[in-house]
Amino acid sequence: MAKFELKLPRMGESVAEATLTTWLKEVGDTIEMDEPIFEIATDKVDSEVPSEVEGILLEKLFDVDDIIKVGQTVAVIETEGTEVQGTEEIEVPEEALTVIEDNIKTAKEVSNKPILDFSSSERFYSPLVKNIAKQEGISTAVLDTIHGTGKEGRVTKSDILNFIANTKSIPDTTTEMKGVKSAPVSKNQNKQTTGENTSVSIGNAVSNHSGVNDEVIEMSRMGKLIAKHMTDSLATSAHVQSFIEVDVTNIVKWRAKTKDAFEKTEGEKLTFTPIFMEAIAKALKKYPMMNISVNGDKVIKKKNINIGMAAALPDGNLIVPVIKNADQLNLVGMAKVVNDLARRSRENKLKPDEIQDGTYTVTNVGTFGSVFGTPIINQPQVGILALGAIRKIPAVIETSEGDFIGIRSKMYISHSYDHRVVNGALGSMFAKAVADYLEAWDINREV
């Protein structure tokens, strides 16, 4: 028999880790090829991870709510065969053997050290959380006071690391200060204890900012991941915005007279989104230095134009499915892809590869009535365009016979770009190229 290591697959250029949310199989279960083994969640998508082989689930290396790095082995599957994947006989140099023996000796010494007793706690803690607690010297009593955000209130890796970070960031206010021990804390206690000379958990003291009558709502797993992704982007990129007003009167009139025939012929609704995506794809082709990413001090110029399309989920979060090779699609093809991705986003049926490899992102804030916005760049990209609401407004119209006032359909587009690598000229010219294409729309155009 052989062993196959099922690793966490790559799920996007900016995705380095995922949270294990559900095991779909138990140790000893028979596994079929492409059968889902477990479910994971990132800041972009929830997804099932299928098996690459047939066999029997031999070992599960992570627990629910654990954070897994891309490329880490999550499960071991026993398969037919005689070779064990990833192993081979090698000749070990004598110097290396000495190092190995020293490491074994050190490991034995560490294993003989006293360990924390978790048997006194009624709470469940994953092996990962226990190991972190042991390394940081966190007692079971203190561990019991940490508010858990995992399933059934379990303490996750993020919970305990945040607790440690908060504790270390506040000098001389730990629960055991300069030899003064804290008062005992009851198990699963999540509220501050009142009374004189009573110490409280640092984690609770830091996190408890609510009033007596306030409702405390935990952020969802995806919400927390999105929040981190957004703050990381602001800390990484020098965000600059350019705004431009666009006259889309011809587009509004053209769509009004075309949409019914389009739906009858193509079986798809014709929204404004594919029209905007077509314009953005053409602008990216004209200005390829907007279709780049940053990796350290290197700029990576992308060959393909893959436009991310921010879509709202029923729970209020956003997901960004990607229109691959957008510059190669005609309007009919663009409409079909846009509608399909939007529909499956709402149904939470996107596949991991459908939310990765984006090179530029678009968000339609006009859907919610916003005139314009200042969106945050989706790392490691360098630009994101916000589409504002289309409004009928009075405007000055220039003609050969003079100027006059008329009612026009107009909108704002807001371009956020990374000023580390995109200067104001390029950022503004790109936005202007999108506007020019939209304003030059031929009202007699055939689909």
Side-chain angles (χ1 to χ4, degrees):
M1 305 298 286
K3 295 178 182 178
F4 177 84
E5 295 181 353
L6 181 62
K7 303 179 186 296
L8 183 66
R10 181 174 176 269
M11 295 166 291
E13 193 169 6
S14 61
V15 178
E17 62 185 21
T19 302
L20 196 157
T21 56
T22 307
W23 277 104
L24 303 175
K25 292 289 184 178
E26 298 299 329
V27 172
D29 287 353
T30 300
I31 308 297
E32 301 294 334
M33 176 79 74
D34 295 327
E35 185 177 11
I37 305 298
F38 56 90
E39 294 179 347
I40 54 94
T42 71
D43 59 335
K44 296 181 178 181
V45 70
D46 291 357
S47 180
E48 296 177 339
V49 176
S51 175
E52 301 173 34
V53 296
E54 296 179 356
I56 296 174
L57 183 57
L58 192 64
E59 189 176 1
K60 299 193 294 188
L61 302 180
F62 289 91
D63 293 324
V64 170
D65 293 329
D66 284 350
I67 307 296
I68 308 170
K69 300 290 185 184
V70 169
Q72 281 189 301
T73 300
V74 185
V76 178
I77 300 172
E78 188 175 62
T79 64
E80 295 292 336
T82 57
E83 294 184 0
V84 179
Q85 178 185 340
T87 64
E88 59 180 12
E89 293 187 4
I90 57 173
E91 183 179 350
V92 181
E94 190 172 334
E95 306 84 37
L97 286 173
T98 303
V99 174
I100 293 172
E101 290 172 357
D102 290 342
N103 289 339
I104 293 173
K105 181 179 179 182
T106 303
K108 289 181 178 179
E109 292 174 353
V110 171
S111 66
N112 290 330
K113 291 183 178 179
I115 61 173
L116 297 178
D117 180 17
F118 292 97
S119 62
S120 61
S121 175
E122 296 177 357
R123 253 177 133 179
F124 171 82
Y125 296 108
S126 68
L128 179 62
V129 170
K130 289 180 180 179
N131 287 335
I132 295 174
K134 292 173 185 177
Q135 293 169 6
E136 298 293 333
I138 299 174
S139 67
T140 307
V142 173
L143 195 61
D144 282 341
T145 68
I146 299 177
H147 177 67
T149 61
K151 185 178 180 181
E152 298 179 352
R154 291 180 182 177
V155 175
T156 66
K157 176 185 176 183
S158 297
D159 295 331
I160 190 170
L161 292 180
N162 287 337
F163 172 82
I164 294 168
N166 289 332
T167 303
K168 290 181 178 179
S169 67
I170 305 177
D172 298 322
T173 55
T174 57
T175 53
E176 296 187 7
M177 298 180 295
K178 300 178 181 178
V180 180
K181 294 185 178 180
S182 62
V185 184
S186 63
K187 295 173 184 177
N188 299 322
Q189 180 177 351
N190 290 324
K191 297 182 179 179
Q192 279 184 257
T193 305
T194 59
E196 293 184 3
N197 301 321
T198 303
S199 299
V200 296
S201 158
I202 293 297
N204 292 336
V206 170
S207 63
N208 188 8
H209 297 294
S210 58
V212 176
N213 298 320
D214 294 339
E215 180 184 4
V216 178
I217 302 174
E218 289 290 340
M219 293 177 66
S220 66
R221 178 188 65 255
M222 182 176 285
K224 287 185 287 187
L225 293 171
I226 290 174
K228 184 178 185 303
H229 189 59
M230 294 295 97
T231 54
D232 286 349
S233 180
L234 286 174
T236 300
S237 296
H239 281 64
V240 175
Q241 284 83 28
S242 293
F243 307 92
I244 190 165
E245 189 178 40
V246 188
D247 189 329
V248 291
T249 305
N250 284 351
I251 290 176
V252 171
K253 291 180 178 179
W254 179 84
R255 176 182 173 272
K257 73 174 185 178
T258 307
K259 62 180 182 179
D260 291 340
F262 184 90
E263 185 172 3
K264 184 178 180 179
T265 303
E266 304 297 338
E268 296 282 351
K269 291 187 179 297
L270 179 61
T271 66
F272 289 108
T273 301
I275 299 173
F276 296 144
M277 293 299 179
E278 182 180 85
I280 293 161
K282 289 182 179 295
L284 287 170
K285 202 162 188 176
K286 183 177 181 179
Y287 294 104
M289 288 308 292
M290 282 305 313
N291 199 52
I292 64 173
S293 65
V294 179
N295 183 9
D297 58 357
K298 293 181 174 59
V299 171
I300 302 171
K301 190 175 178 181
K302 299 294 184 177
K303 180 180 179 180
N304 297 329
I305 294 177
N306 300 335
I307 302 178
M309 178 184 69
L313 296 173
D315 62 1
N317 286 316
L318 290 176
I319 196 168
V320 187
V322 177
I323 304 169
K324 303 290 179 67
N325 299 309
D327 58 315
Q328 299 178 22
L329 297 173
N330 60 20
L331 191 59
V332 174
M334 186 74 77
K336 289 181 181 293
V337 172
V338 165
N339 290 347
D340 175 59
L341 291 175
R343 181 181 64 256
R344 289 193 291 112
S345 294
R346 293 189 295 269
E347 297 171 352
N348 197 27
K349 292 183 178 180
L350 292 174
K351 300 175 182 177
D353 63 337
E354 291 175 326
I355 52 92
Q356 70 180 21
D357 298 328
T359 60
Y360 189 86
T361 299
V362 180
T363 179
N364 190 349
V365 298
T367 302
F368 310 103
S370 295
V371 179
F372 58 80
T374 55
I376 298 174
I377 296 166
N378 188 12
Q379 296 296 325
Q381 299 167 21
V382 299
I384 180 171
L385 197 75
L387 305 170
I390 298 175
R391 302 174 301 145
K392 288 183 177 180
I393 60 173
V396 176
I397 302 173
E398 298 179 0
T399 70
S400 58
E401 298 177 358
D403 299 343
F404 64 92
I405 301 295
I407 302 300
R408 306 294 290 178
S409 295
K410 291 197 173 188
M411 64 180 290
Y412 284 98
I413 59 175
S414 315
H415 187 206
S416 293
Y417 46 94
D418 189 343
H419 209 35
R420 295 178 303 164
V421 290
V422 179
N423 58 35
L426 175 57
S428 298
M429 287 189 297
F430 174 80
K432 184 65 165 56
V434 176
D436 288 345
Y437 181 82
L438 296 174
E439 290 187 341
W441 192 269
D442 182 3
I443 198 169
N444 297 313
R445 167 178 170 166
E446 296 289 335
V447 176

